[in-house]
Amino acid sequence: MAKVVVIGVAGEHGLWVADLDAGTVTPLPHAATGHLRTVVDLRGAGASVIKGVDVAIAVKSTASVASGHMEG
């Protein structure tokens, strides 16, 4: 099972790294090379890249999740 997830939110610049074991989310430094650079370029062109994640829902606040409202 994956313990780290790279997250990018539509309309926001940059990527984030969520460490599930540590319970942290931190900004990912700019990816200049390799496969992650390809992901950054695809995002810039409007593509979504999904690998190894079967649920991802963007909401405005944690209160939205707690109340069961899953529309952003």
Side-chain angles (χ1 to χ4, degrees):
M1 178 167 120
K3 298 295 183 179
V4 175
V5 181
V6 177
I7 302 168
V9 178
E12 301 280 332
H13 292 287
L15 297 173
W16 295 83
V17 176
D19 183 327
L20 304 180
D21 284 339
T24 60
V25 179
T26 56
L28 180 69
H30 184 66
T33 61
H35 293 297
L36 199 50
R37 180 67 216 176
T38 302
V39 170
V40 170
D41 292 342
L42 288 168
R43 280 187 78 219
S48 295
V49 179
I50 301 162
K51 181 178 179 181
V53 176
D54 61 5
V55 174
I57 303 168
V59 295
K60 294 180 181 178
S61 70
T62 55
S64 297
V65 175
S67 66
H69 294 104
M70 294 300 185
E71 56 277 343

